Amino acid sequence: METMGDRATLLETGRLPQSADREDPATAVDEARHREAAACGDIASMSVLGSLLLRRGDLDGAEPYLRRATADGDRAAANNLGVLLHQRGHADEAAGWWRIAAVAGSSAAAHALGRHHRERGDEPAAEYWLRQSAEQGHALGAYALADLLEHRSDVGAERWMRAAAEHGHREAAYRLARALERRAAETRGVPTATDSGAERESAEPDTGSRILGGSLLAEAEQFYRQAAARGHRRAALQLGAILERRGDLKEAGRWYLTSAKDGEARAACALGFLLRDAGDEDNAAVWWLKAAQDGDGNAANALGALHAERGETQTAERWYRAAMDAGDVNGAYNLGLLCAEQKRSRQAEQWYRRAAYAGHREAANALAVLLMQAGDASGAEPWFSKAAEAGSVDAAFNLGILYAGRDEEPVAFEWYERAAAAGHTEAALQVGIVLLREGDQQAAERHLRCAAGGGSAEAAYRLATVLDRGPREDVILGEAAGGKTECEEWYERAAELGHRRAQVRVGTFAAARDDVVAAARWYRAAAEAGSLGGAFNLGLLLAREGAEPEALVWWTRAADAGHGRAALRLALLYARRGDLPEAQKWCAKAVSNGPPEVTERAARLSEALQQELTA
């Protein structure tokens, strides 16, 4: 007869897990019955009673019963006697009894003996006994064997980890899920949390890789669920992360909550972000506070950012410092940002340097920007380079600006291209501008489309000009045009983003369609933003519609700012009214401001006015 005596030890010491040899006797009545039977010489009852006393911690009371039962050949008693001796520090004697029980077929004893040999550094003996235990279906033996094989990078480790997981071992289920998730990420060519945040470049996975990766991830989720359901808090955290990535936020929140209540600080932090994104900042702060107090630097940073947004800078600084003390380099970076916002440049530089020296790439970029603003371009360059080489897209773009400022256009272009390839909108615009200048319209259009799609008004405008085959800006009313072309749609996007020249162009298209209301709206928007062309065209439109006094106002504004055509229009207007001196004044402005055809017309008009004035 076998008992579960090792259950008593091994949950508390953590050295040896539970045995599965026997079910627990449950009641005091059972104990009394076994005592009575043991007193009458019943070996099975002696074994059971010994395991009960061992579990209770009564080693002195358990030992005589276990030795008597062992002497009579009870393998469970031999296993439990080994457990008792191990607790007393007699490891070698314990191993002797475990060997006896293991040879007699006790899978629990084989597991304990394998653990004993591994602790002694005898891996071949450890593997032999652990394999014996695992092959008998002992979950702890299978897990311990998998752990040993994994330590040696043996491909057979997964088989035994899976066997342990399928027998209900929660740590095995968690570790198997982690391994499957890593393999899924590698198959699909994406980084995982276990890559320590490192960024990797990989080719786009093919369809087969995506399917395989998805299958592995689904299996990982299944084992995370198994471990989490058995109370494994890190499995609950990982399961929550998978569900959050998939968009199942409600279920993700439940698993984060489960893990957080079990004391997992990272889950409390993740739950805080989930609540913040749902608009519940107050409860988010509660969970961030719990996580931060448990030493989670990310949660401390989140609390700092929350207080900074509320204008509570002293509290924000305290939490950023707490994040830094927890080993999170983002704390120093955020302190730098906080100081920079407060115009405390010297302190900002100190914090940026601290974070940058610790390898924070955005801190290195921010430090370089600060140095550039202070006029120290030579000091900024190495930090831009360090940040760019570490993968900072902003730093690559800033290097392009730095080299362009030195007239080192080829080097600047290389950095712009690098940033553009990583999706930097302004870098794509700069690459497009250079390619346009070089005459490579097709490549320029590709980059301008990327930049315009990223929200750059200038890129949308330049893309529209590449596509434009329409009328000139100063065409006001004419034959009705057809439907909107692609170039007009890009002009409109740029105009909606506030690009003044695009607004004038969209007004021109509207005018060409006889849409006077839309044309006036866009011309007015451009004019009010300071566009001379917009003011001039708005004046033309107003004059055409009979609102000459308001047209006069806009032409005057444009002419005073140097718009030659507006000055010529004013000269003609005043000449028609008979105010020849005023007309002569605006003619002079038109002559000086041009362009050439305006200068020529204004000169002829001025000569005619002069003749009229001297007649």
Side-chain angles (χ1 to χ4, degrees):
M1 184 181 295
E2 297 179 44
T3 66
M4 291 261 316
D6 52 344
R7 181 194 301 266
T9 85
L10 323 315
L11 278 176
E12 294 183 2
T13 66
R15 293 173 62 81
L16 293 171
Q18 325 183 62
S19 167
D21 278 354
R22 176 175 299 281
E23 303 246 339
D24 285 328
T27 65
V29 174
D30 289 332
E31 182 179 338
R33 179 169 54 80
H34 285 303
R35 280 188 182 277
E36 185 178 345
C40 296
D42 187 283
I43 299 303
S45 289
M46 290 181 188
S47 179
V48 172
L49 184 58
S51 75
L52 282 171
L53 295 170
L54 175 61
R55 185 182 305 108
R56 190 181 298 159
D58 183 0
L59 304 189
D60 291 334
E63 186 171 353
Y65 290 110
L66 293 176
R67 286 192 180 275
R68 176 76 182 275
T70 298
D72 209 75
D74 189 295
R75 71 179 189 186
N79 175 47
N80 287 327
L81 180 58
V83 171
L84 184 148
L85 293 167
H86 189 277
Q87 279 194 313
R88 284 184 162 168
H90 305 310
D92 291 335
E93 188 180 355
W97 290 111
W98 281 331
R99 182 181 295 275
I100 289 171
V103 169
S106 171
S107 59
H111 164 243
L113 186 58
R115 291 288 301 272
H116 169 80
H117 284 299
R118 187 174 183 188
E119 288 174 0
R120 296 293 185 280
D122 187 353
E123 289 196 0
E127 181 180 350
Y128 174 81
W129 288 110
L130 291 175
R131 195 174 291 277
Q132 293 293 317
S133 176
E135 289 176 348
Q136 291 177 57
H138 194 276
L140 298 176
Y143 175 71
L145 176 60
D147 186 65
L148 176 65
L149 295 175
E150 189 177 85
H151 173 70
R152 298 203 308 239
S153 300
D154 191 307
V155 293
E158 185 177 319
R159 170 198 169 192
W160 292 110
M161 195 69 79
R162 186 180 293 274
E166 289 173 350
H167 279 83
H169 194 291
R170 70 179 190 181
E171 185 65 24
Y174 171 73
R175 289 178 61 176
L176 177 60
R178 292 293 283 164
L180 290 168
E181 187 178 15
R182 282 194 296 271
R183 202 189 315 158
E186 290 166 3
T187 302
R188 299 165 75 181
V190 296
T192 68
T194 56
D195 295 319
S196 302
E199 295 187 9
R200 305 180 303 184
E201 293 184 4
S202 58
E204 180 70 20
D206 58 27
T207 303
S209 296
R210 287 197 298 271
I211 292 173
L212 177 58
S215 174
L216 290 168
L217 191 59
E219 191 177 10
E221 181 182 338
Q222 171 192 338
F223 282 106
Y224 278 138
R225 284 186 183 278
Q226 178 180 319
R230 290 176 176 271
H232 197 293
R233 67 188 192 188
R234 284 174 295 162
L237 168 65
Q238 295 297 330
L239 177 57
I242 288 175
L243 293 166
E244 183 179 1
R245 286 195 298 270
R246 198 165 65 206
D248 296 338
L249 302 185
K250 190 172 182 179
E251 188 180 1
R254 286 200 299 270
W255 285 111
Y256 283 149
L257 180 61
T258 298
S259 181
K261 285 182 175 178
D262 286 340
E264 181 59 54
R266 290 174 298 168
C269 180
L271 180 58
F273 282 111
L274 213 58
L275 290 165
R276 189 275 312 273
D277 293 343
D280 189 354
E281 280 192 354
D282 291 338
N283 278 316
V286 170
W287 287 105
W288 282 335
L289 178 60
K290 177 177 172 56
Q293 289 173 338
D294 289 338
D296 189 280
N298 194 23
N301 272 314
L303 279 173
L306 182 63
H307 287 290
E309 288 173 4
R310 294 173 177 175
E312 301 165 356
T313 55
Q314 289 185 338
T315 307
E317 185 170 338
R318 177 165 62 85
W319 282 114
Y320 287 148
R321 288 180 183 272
M324 193 170 56
D325 292 341
D328 192 328
V329 70
N330 283 311
Y333 173 59
N334 287 331
L335 277 169
L337 292 174
L338 191 66
C339 291
E341 288 173 3
Q342 298 172 339
K343 310 300 181 185
R344 295 155 56 195
S345 298
R346 182 173 298 179
Q347 292 93 329
E349 182 180 339
Q350 290 172 352
W351 292 118
Y352 285 150
R353 281 189 186 277
R354 180 164 180 172
Y357 277 121
H360 195 293
R361 67 188 188 191
E362 296 308 328
N365 178 59
L367 174 60
V369 170
L370 209 60
L371 293 170
M372 280 288 289
Q373 291 171 345
D376 185 5
S378 60
E381 183 179 348
W383 286 112
F384 276 141
S385 296
K386 184 175 182 179
E389 293 298 343
S392 171
V393 181
D394 287 336
F397 175 66
N398 288 334
L399 272 175
I401 294 174
L402 181 69
Y403 284 112
R406 295 174 179 173
D407 293 326
E408 298 180 42
E409 296 295 340
V411 183
F413 183 73
E414 288 177 9
W415 284 109
Y416 284 146
E417 273 197 314
R418 184 165 173 173
H424 195 286
T425 297
E426 290 303 312
L429 170 61
Q430 294 302 320
V431 172
I433 290 172
V434 172
L435 291 171
L436 278 178
R437 193 164 58 236
E438 293 176 353
D440 190 348
Q441 186 166 307
Q442 186 175 359
E445 181 181 330
R446 186 173 68 252
H447 282 91
L448 290 173
R449 284 185 184 278
C450 291
S456 169
E458 182 65 24
Y461 173 74
R462 287 180 180 268
L463 175 59
T465 62
V466 169
L467 301 171
D468 195 357
R469 296 295 181 270
R472 294 167 51 87
E473 279 191 7
D474 56 353
V475 174
I476 300 305
L477 297 174
E479 294 182 2
K484 291 182 182 178
T485 62
E486 186 185 7
C487 82
E488 187 174 355
E489 290 174 354
W490 284 111
Y491 277 132
E492 283 192 0
R493 182 176 298 189
E496 287 164 356
L497 292 169
H499 195 287
R500 294 181 302 180
R501 294 169 69 189
Q503 289 169 341
V504 174
R505 201 76 181 93
V506 173
T508 301
F509 278 110
R513 291 195 301 270
D514 287 332
D515 188 350
V516 176
V517 174
R521 176 169 61 87
W522 286 115
Y523 287 150
R524 191 178 298 278
E528 289 176 347
S531 168
L532 302 186
F536 172 68
N537 281 2
L538 179 58
L540 289 175
L541 195 64
L542 290 167
R544 188 70 176 265
E545 295 299 307
E548 194 172 85
E550 189 180 355
L552 181 66
V553 172
W554 288 109
W555 281 335
T556 301
R557 182 181 296 187
D560 283 338
H563 195 283
R565 284 193 175 89
L568 179 58
R569 286 282 175 172
L570 285 170
L572 291 168
L573 180 63
Y574 282 109
R576 191 167 64 248
R577 289 180 176 181
D579 189 348
L580 302 187
E582 191 69 11
Q584 185 73 1
K585 181 186 79 171
W586 289 112
C587 270
K589 279 187 174 288
V591 169
S592 61
N593 291 332
E597 64 271 19
V598 170
T599 298
E600 182 182 350
R601 289 179 62 193
R604 290 200 304 268
L605 178 59
S606 179
E607 183 179 349
L609 290 171
Q610 185 64 32
Q611 291 175 359
E612 187 70 25
L613 284 169
T614 57

